[in-house]
Amino acid sequence: MTKLLVFGHQSPDTDTITSAIVYSHLKQSIGEEAEAVRLGEINQETQYALDYFEVEAPRLLEDMKADHQDVVLVDHNEFQQSAVNIKELTIHGVIDHHRVSNFETEGPLYMRIEPVGCTATVLYTIYKEHQVEIPQHIAGLMLSAIISDTLLLKSPTCTERDIEVANQLAKIADVDINTYGFEMLKKGASIDGMSAADIVGNDAKSFELNGHTVRIAQINTVDPVEILALKDDLLQNIDERIERDNYDLYMLVITNILDNDSIVLTKGLTDKVDAAFDVKVEDSEALLKDVVSRKKQIVPPLTNAFNA
Amino acid sequence: MTKLLVFGHQSPDTDTITSAIVYSHLKQSIGEEAEAVRLGEINQETQYALDYFEVEAPRLLEDMKADHQDVVLVDHNEFQQSAVNIKELTIHGVIDHHRVSNFETEGPLYMRIEPVGCTATVLYTIYKEHQVEIPQHIAGLMLSAIISDTLLLKSPTCTERDIEVANQLAKIADVDINTYGFEMLKKGASIDGMSAADIVGNDAKSFELNGHTVRIAQINTVDPVEILALKDDLLQNIDERIERDNYDLYMLVITNILDNDSIVLTKGLTDKVDAAFDVKVEDSEALLKDVVSRKKQIVPPLTNAFNA
């Protein structure tokens, strides 16, 4: 086996980047060769966490070489969210907290998926099992991932286990969860320096729903009005992406982390959005009341709407 | 959530039956409602283990009712090996040691797969994590599964972890691994009372290989000559199954547990068998030298042959 490359999904978020770093650290701690890499640009929220705990970003993987064919996936398993040539690689492990779909291997592997809010929560358990001590910077990165994925422990995806682990990690990382967490989320919610294309592509993932390709991007904000001011540009960019990549439906979910509602800008088969959320998309826009979680509150009703 | 139903694959073997019982025990021990069920008849080897440790066989699941829609799969994940209506059920967990293929869920789940020789080895680790004490009869069943799947720790699928766990379990179960194991395997290797149809269908699993349906049955023996005496009847039964169920290739793998070779009786696209194992199937028969493991030594080269 060559050195294990550990990476998360395309359009990386904080859980994906930190989990690659954290799992590589764990593998190295038990004497295995592993390197964290990333499939896309670091967002501002993640950069804040990396800077705070003084950790370097993983190397951007531009080209997966044949001699780097042994990989571990973190924070995802669906092939359309993974490395372009994932089917040519040997997947030795998966650490994740999402549903399983469009995933297969040729041989046995180590697969660890738990129905919790964040990959970091699963990783914490694995550290305990291996009795590997968690250093301060690693604890800080794991805590950042939990704060990010659960919107400061408030998302419906957040489980009791996430809260328990977050509290343990905050002690090791020596930060106050709320103070640190709010600063980090606010950084991620800033659109300073982002183009319309950056916003429309933020944390975007593709889903295959009953033969249709649905692309769902999500951006957190403390000021939705600031983003909606760019609506014409955003919709034009969505049109371009639909044209270029043949999506059947595109959704840009703008989530207000202060009141936990989302506004969606959407083009394509928007009658599926109407059906899924019992709303009426008007002028390519709809309010999704109390919806913050793509995984728990957007993908499942949308799956049902496409299967109906 | 209704009571969890826990079951293994069709054509159950010892690991599948005991893992359903064992995981239900673990779930009950941590205060969750769970019941082990089975999708097919108990074989003689498994019955020997159940009798030895005085455990009742799980209930045969004839009809999956709508009110029993919450399930955990043990010792398999591929849908074609599972309950007929698996796509209508909610899969809450998977404990397994096989490759992942033809499997998906609508939501997050608990998934625990390790590249070891036996599901029981994974279950042992989960008991330890939950700090649940393993009673003697449960240890006995887990040990039986490891002995069965690894042919008394001799199969190439057997890992150091399987050996380590088997030794721990033998202490709790208070048996000598070799003495007990040989008796159990010999029981399973007996064809007393089996018809040609029973032999051809023994521990049979379907695999989708590059668009072809391949059915692979396996039977252990200490006397291959005794089985080959029935060759005409066995081949006729294989023909009938190919006709009835539209298999593209059928392989009956007759594994000699004394010398660790297998003889395969096969019909259909047998040129794939030639290519996969560098042999020449003659008169529907070939010797597979040092091949005992379907998972590790049969499915991978066959997959390559079908993909070539």
Side-chain angles (χ1 to χ4, degrees):
Chain A
M1 192 169 77
T2 57
K3 178 176 67 175
L4 279 176
L5 288 189
V6 183
F7 53 84
H9 52 75
Q10 299 166 10
S11 311
D13 59 9
T14 300
D15 191 24
T16 258
I17 293 292
T18 60
S19 291
I21 298 170
V22 169
Y23 195 60
S24 299
H25 172 268
L26 176 63
K27 280 287 190 188
Q28 289 160 5
S29 300
I30 59 177
E32 294 182 33
E33 265 199 288
E35 182 193 1
V37 291
R38 61 185 163 93
L39 304 182
E41 292 310 314
I42 302 275
N43 69 32
Q44 297 177 72
E45 178 195 281
T46 308
Q47 192 59 56
Y48 178 85
L50 292 172
D51 290 344
Y52 193 97
F53 293 103
E54 298 178 354
V55 178
E56 294 238 344
R59 173 167 67 87
L60 178 65
L61 193 70
E62 308 254 18
D63 182 25
M64 186 78 76
K65 301 257 180 34
D67 61 341
H68 276 146
Q69 58 185 6
D70 296 300
V71 303
V72 172
L73 311 186
V74 292
D75 194 33
H76 76 297
N77 65 81
E78 303 193 36
F79 282 177
Q80 76 277 8
Q81 299 168 4
S82 197
V84 176
N85 64 336
I86 186 70
K87 288 189 178 179
E88 297 156 31
L89 308 174
T90 304
I91 304 169
H92 288 265
V94 175
I95 320 288
D96 194 12
H97 67 121
H98 296 90
R99 72 166 189 159
V100 176
S101 186
N102 190 20
F103 174 85
E104 67 171 346
T105 61
E106 208 173 287
L109 77 165
Y110 179 81
M111 193 157 183
R112 189 68 179 263
I113 300 182
E114 293 182 21
V116 291
C118 182
T119 308
T121 303
V122 184
L123 289 170
Y124 179 85
T125 305
I126 303 177
Y127 268 87
K128 291 293 155 193
E129 282 164 24
H130 285 90
Q131 299 179 303
V132 172
E133 199 182 331
I134 304 176
Q136 184 182 1
H137 70 286
I138 292 290
L141 295 182
M142 292 165 90
L143 177 63
S144 303
I146 298 177
I147 291 168
S148 171
D149 269 14
T150 65
L151 288 180
L152 247 174
L153 313 178
K154 285 186 309 193
S155 159
T157 57
C158 187
T159 65
E160 297 215 355
R161 177 68 179 157
D162 295 302
I163 296 172
E164 184 185 318
V165 169
N167 283 312
Q168 294 297 325
L169 290 170
K171 277 184 215 157
I172 305 172
D174 195 22
V175 295
D176 177 81
I177 296 184
N178 287 308
T179 313
Y180 170 76
F182 191 73
E183 283 306 309
M184 187 193 82
L185 289 177
K186 215 170 71 182
K187 209 69 173 179
S190 158
I191 59 165
D192 285 359
M194 290 180 85
S195 66
D198 291 339
I199 295 171
V200 170
N202 195 71
D203 189 17
K205 289 187 188 172
S206 295
F207 299 86
E208 294 298 324
L209 301 184
N210 203 9
H212 295 87
T213 305
V214 179
R215 185 83 168 168
I216 309 177
Q218 186 169 27
I219 188 157
N220 292 337
T221 182
V222 289
D223 183 9
V225 173
E226 182 188 23
I227 297 179
L228 288 173
L230 307 170
K231 182 167 171 182
D232 290 348
D233 288 349
L234 298 173
L235 288 176
Q236 195 190 321
N237 187 270
I238 290 175
D239 278 334
E240 287 165 15
R241 286 170 191 258
I242 287 175
E243 176 76 21
R244 189 188 65 200
D245 296 325
N246 284 313
Y247 299 125
D248 297 298
L249 174 66
Y250 201 105
M251 296 172 70
L252 169 63
V253 180
I254 302 160
T255 300
N256 186 333
I257 58 173
L258 297 180
D259 68 9
N260 293 328
D261 292 335
S262 291
I263 291 163
V264 62
L265 297 184
T266 180
K267 294 275 231 171
L269 301 173
T270 60
D271 57 317
K272 300 298 181 190
V273 178
D274 292 347
F277 304 100
D278 196 17
V279 295
K280 182 81 198 105
V281 173
E282 278 178 15
D283 195 17
S284 304
E285 178 179 338
L287 173 68
L288 308 183
K289 197 76 192 145
D290 293 323
V291 167
V292 298
S293 164
R294 174 168 50 196
K295 184 168 70 171
K296 209 128 174 173
Q297 297 175 294
I298 295 177
V299 173
L302 210 56
T303 302
N304 291 338
F306 272 94
N307 288 338
Chain B
M1 192 170 77
T2 57
K3 178 176 67 177
L4 279 176
L5 287 189
V6 182
F7 53 84
H9 53 75
Q10 299 166 12
S11 312
D13 58 12
T14 300
D15 191 24
T16 257
I17 293 292
T18 60
S19 291
I21 297 170
V22 168
Y23 195 59
S24 300
H25 172 268
L26 176 63
K27 281 286 190 187
Q28 289 159 6
S29 301
I30 59 176
E32 293 181 35
E33 266 197 288
E35 183 193 1
V37 292
R38 61 185 162 93
L39 304 181
E41 293 308 315
I42 303 274
N43 69 32
Q44 296 177 73
E45 177 195 281
T46 308
Q47 193 60 55
Y48 179 84
L50 292 171
D51 290 343
Y52 192 96
F53 293 103
E54 297 178 355
V55 178
E56 294 238 343
R59 172 167 68 85
L60 178 65
L61 193 70
E62 307 255 18
D63 182 24
M64 185 79 73
K65 300 256 179 36
D67 60 343
H68 275 145
Q69 59 186 4
D70 296 301
V71 303
V72 172
L73 312 186
V74 291
D75 194 32
H76 76 298
N77 64 81
E78 303 194 37
F79 283 177
Q80 75 278 8
Q81 300 168 3
S82 196
V84 176
N85 64 336
I86 186 69
K87 288 191 179 178
E88 297 155 31
L89 309 174
T90 305
I91 304 169
H92 288 264
V94 175
I95 320 290
D96 194 12
H97 65 121
H98 296 90
R99 72 164 190 162
V100 176
S101 186
N102 190 20
F103 174 84
E104 68 171 345
T105 62
E106 208 173 288
L109 77 165
Y110 179 81
M111 194 156 183
R112 190 69 178 262
I113 300 182
E114 293 181 21
V116 291
C118 182
T119 308
T121 303
V122 184
L123 289 169
Y124 179 86
T125 305
I126 303 177
Y127 268 87
K128 291 292 157 193
E129 281 164 23
H130 284 91
Q131 298 179 304
V132 171
E133 198 182 332
I134 304 176
Q136 184 181 1
H137 69 286
I138 293 291
L141 294 182
M142 292 165 90
L143 177 64
S144 302
I146 298 176
I147 291 168
S148 171
D149 269 13
T150 66
L151 290 180
L152 247 175
L153 312 179
K154 285 184 307 191
S155 160
T157 58
C158 187
T159 66
E160 294 209 3
R161 177 69 180 158
D162 296 301
I163 295 170
E164 184 186 318
V165 169
N167 283 314
Q168 293 298 324
L169 290 170
K171 278 184 212 155
I172 306 172
D174 195 22
V175 294
D176 177 81
I177 295 183
N178 287 309
T179 313
Y180 170 76
F182 190 73
E183 282 307 309
M184 188 193 82
L185 289 177
K186 214 171 70 181
K187 208 69 174 182
S190 160
I191 59 166
D192 285 359
M194 291 179 86
S195 67
D198 291 338
I199 294 171
V200 170
N202 194 72
D203 188 17
K205 289 185 187 173
S206 294
F207 299 85
E208 294 298 325
L209 301 184
N210 203 8
H212 295 87
T213 305
V214 178
R215 185 83 168 168
I216 308 176
Q218 186 168 28
I219 190 158
N220 292 337
T221 183
V222 289
D223 183 10
V225 174
E226 182 189 24
I227 296 179
L228 288 172
L230 306 169
K231 180 169 172 181
D232 289 349
D233 288 349
L234 297 173
L235 288 176
Q236 194 189 322
N237 187 271
I238 289 175
D239 279 333
E240 287 165 16
R241 287 171 189 257
I242 287 176
E243 176 76 19
R244 189 188 66 198
D245 297 324
N246 285 314
Y247 299 124
D248 298 298
L249 174 66
Y250 202 106
M251 296 174 70
L252 169 62
V253 180
I254 302 160
T255 299
N256 186 334
I257 58 173
L258 297 182
D259 67 10
N260 293 328
D261 292 336
S262 291
I263 291 163
V264 61
L265 298 184
T266 180
K267 295 274 232 171
L269 301 173
T270 59
D271 57 319
K272 301 297 181 190
V273 178
D274 292 346
F277 304 99
D278 196 17
V279 295
K280 183 80 198 106
V281 173
E282 277 177 13
D283 195 16
S284 304
E285 179 179 335
L287 172 68
L288 308 183
K289 198 76 189 147
D290 293 322
V291 168
V292 298
S293 164
R294 174 168 50 196
K295 185 168 68 171
K296 210 129 175 172
Q297 298 175 294
I298 295 176
V299 173
L302 210 54
T303 302
N304 290 340
F306 272 94
N307 288 338

